Amino acid sequence: MSLVEKIKQQVVPRQATRVDVDDLVTRVEGLQRFVRAAEGHVPEDRLVAARTVIDRSGERLALSRAHTVVALAGATGSGKSSLFNAISGFQLSRVGVRRPTTGVAHACVWGQAGATPLLDWLGVPPNRRFTRESALDGNDEAALRGLVLLDLPDFDSVEEQHRVEVDRLLRLVDLVVWVLDPQKYADRVVHQRYLAQFQRHRDVTVVVLNQADRLVRTDAERVVTDLRRLLDADGLTGVPAFATSAKGQPGQGQLRAALERAVAARQAALLRLGGDVTDAVADLHPLVSSPARVPAEVPQATVDRLAGALGWRTCCPTPCRIRSRG
Ligand SMILES: Nc1nc2c(ncn2[C@@H]2O[C@H](COP(=O)(O)OP(=O)(O)OP(=O)(O)O)[C@@H](O)[C@H]2O)c(=O)[nH]1
Ligand SMILES: [Mg+2]
C-alpha cells in the first residue's frame, strides 16, 4: 500500500451504513418479543443485557433526534478538557496540572433548542451545561448546530467514581471520540477494556492522537501508524484515527470536520443503537443456535418461536440476518 493510501486510510472515515429508524424499531421489537418468549425458559441474568438495550433504545428514540451526543473519552491528562474548550472556543471545563481534573461530565450544546430532556437523561448536572451558539456567532458555528459535546472524567482514574460515571455515559452517548496521547496511546488496559469493546460501534467511533504538537511531524505520523495497527488488532479496522492538538499544530480541524459530518448525517444515535442491538442479539444467539445447549424439556416449538423473534432459523449454524424492511 502506498504512503498516500495509508494516510488516506487513517483519516478518511469509513462509509457508514445508514440505519433506517423503522428498521431499528423492528429489530428492537424483535428483541423484545424474544425476551418475552424466553422469560421463564432461560436464566433471567441472560436476558438483562437485552432488556437494558430495549429500554435504552426506547428512551433515546423518544428524545431529540435533532441532537448528536458526542463524548470525549480518555485517560487522565490526555487533553479531553483542553479539546472540549478549544472546540467550544471557551474555557468551559477546568484544565489542570493535578490529576485527575474533571470529576463530572460537562456538556456544551450548539444551537438547537430542546436539549434539556436529553441532558437530563444523560445526567449532566445543570451547572455543567453550556450553550455555545449565540446571535453573535452569525453562521460560523452553523455546521455544528445540534452537537452535544461531552467532556468526560478520566476512564483510568484512581477515583472509582470517575470510572463508574464514564462507563455509565459510554453506554448512552451516540458517538465516542477516544482521546489518546503520545505517552499512553498503546496502554493495554485502554485497548482491552475500552476500545476493543466497541467493535460493533465502529461507525460511531473516532480516535485521536492528541498532543501531537509535542512530536515532530514524522514522529507523529509514525505514532498514528502504530496506533492504527493497534486499532486493527482491537477489531476497529476503518475507524477514523488522526492527530490533533489543543495547543498547536495540527489543531482540531479534522476532528471538527468529523463532528460536522456526524451532526449533518443525524445517524449517530441510530447507528449506536443498531450496534447495541447487534451486541445483544449476538449475546443471546448461543441460547438458540446450539441444540446441545437447549434443555431437553424445552419444546422445539418454543425454540423456534424464540429464534423467530430474532429473525433466526434454528436449522442453520449461523444466524440469519434480522429481517429488514426495504
Ligand atoms: N502541548 C499540549 N498540551 C496539552 C494538549 N492537550 C492538553 N494539554 C495539557 O495536558 C494537561 C492535561 O490536559 P486536560 O485537558 O486537563 O486533560 P484531561 O484529559 O481533561 O484530564 P482529566 O480531566 O484529568 O481526565 C494540561 O496541562 C494541558 O494544558 C495538547 O494538545 N498539547
Ligand atoms: Mg478533564
Side-chain angles (χ1 to χ4, degrees):
M1 193 187 296
S2 76
L3 186 63
V4 173
E5 277 169 332
K6 254 191 196 161
I7 292 170
K8 234 172 141 187
Q9 196 189 40
Q10 284 156 15
V11 300
V12 178
R14 23 186 283 117
Q15 193 60 46
T17 4
R18 284 192 75 79
V19 171
D20 178 81
V21 68
D22 290 339
D23 285 345
L24 178 65
V25 170
T26 303
R27 296 184 68 200
V28 174
E29 285 169 352
L31 192 59
Q32 195 160 30
R33 279 202 304 282
F34 178 93
V35 168
R36 286 208 194 105
E39 277 165 1
H41 295 291
V42 300
E44 183 55 29
D45 61 352
R46 291 303 311 268
L47 302 177
V48 171
R51 284 190 206 284
T52 307
V53 169
I54 292 164
D55 291 348
R56 193 163 61 225
S57 304
E59 289 162 7
R60 180 64 186 93
L61 289 173
L63 289 162
S64 169
R65 290 225 353 255
H67 291 92
T68 301
V69 183
V70 177
L72 297 170
T76 185
S78 62
K80 301 176 294 298
S81 302
S82 301
L83 281 177
F84 180 80
N85 292 339
I87 291 169
S88 66
F90 292 99
Q91 297 302 307
L92 302 178
S93 186
R94 199 162 67 82
V95 169
V97 182
R98 270 192 61 216
R99 308 254 69 87
T101 304
T102 310
V104 191
H106 291 49
C108 183
V109 182
W110 271 256
Q112 287 284 9
T116 304
L118 187 57
L119 292 167
D120 289 344
W121 181 68
L122 291 164
V124 178
N127 63 349
R128 294 286 182 267
R129 301 176 186 181
F130 306 94
T131 305
R132 172 61 183 87
E133 214 186 345
S134 75
L136 296 176
D137 288 321
N139 265 335
D140 292 355
E141 298 293 309
L144 289 181
R145 211 167 278 161
L147 173 66
V148 177
L149 188 63
L150 299 184
D151 175 25
L152 301 192
D154 50 323
F155 59 36
D156 61 343
S157 198
V158 289
E159 303 281 349
E160 170 68 16
Q161 204 39 47
H162 290 196
R163 285 200 297 271
V164 171
E165 178 66 348
V166 170
D167 289 350
R168 182 185 72 80
L169 279 161
L170 284 177
R171 285 191 276 272
L172 301 181
V173 300
D174 302 331
L175 186 147
V176 181
V177 176
W178 301 93
V179 181
L180 308 180
D181 63 67
Q183 284 82 41
K184 290 200 260 181
Y185 76 92
D187 189 306
R188 210 159 48 90
V189 177
V190 170
H191 286 269
Q192 278 178 1
R193 182 159 150 66
Y194 287 98
L195 288 157
Q197 305 306 315
F198 277 71
Q199 290 176 16
R200 290 204 174 85
H201 296 100
R202 290 200 303 265
D203 292 326
V204 283
T205 297
V206 172
V207 181
V208 301
L209 177 83
N210 193 42
Q211 306 194 17
D213 60 292
R214 292 182 188 270
L215 305 173
V216 295
R217 200 167 58 86
T218 45
D219 284 347
E221 282 169 7
R222 241 177 256 136
V223 174
V224 171
T225 303
D226 193 41
L227 172 59
R228 161 65 56 207
R229 179 185 62 77
L230 294 170
L231 295 174
D232 289 350
D234 292 333
L236 294 177
T237 306
V239 304
F242 47 82
T244 57
S245 169
K247 304 255 173 176
Q249 288 300 324
Q252 314 94 45
Q254 261 183 307
L255 177 55
R256 212 183 152 89
L259 296 176
E260 288 177 3
R261 278 193 297 275
V263 166
R266 288 197 182 188
Q267 274 282 301
L270 303 180
L271 287 162
R272 166 69 207 243
L273 295 174
D276 288 345
V277 173
T278 304
D279 257 345
V281 167
D283 189 41
L284 295 171
H285 186 233
L287 291 174
V288 289
S289 64
S290 161
R293 297 201 193 177
V294 179
E297 67 271 18
V298 179
Q300 185 58 41
T302 305
V303 176
D304 289 345
R305 199 151 51 86
L306 294 177
L310 288 180
W312 294 330
R313 279 182 283 127
T314 48
C315 57
C316 58
T318 47
C320 306
R321 283 187 69 78
I322 299 295
R323 87 192 146 92
S324 68
R325 289 192 223 151

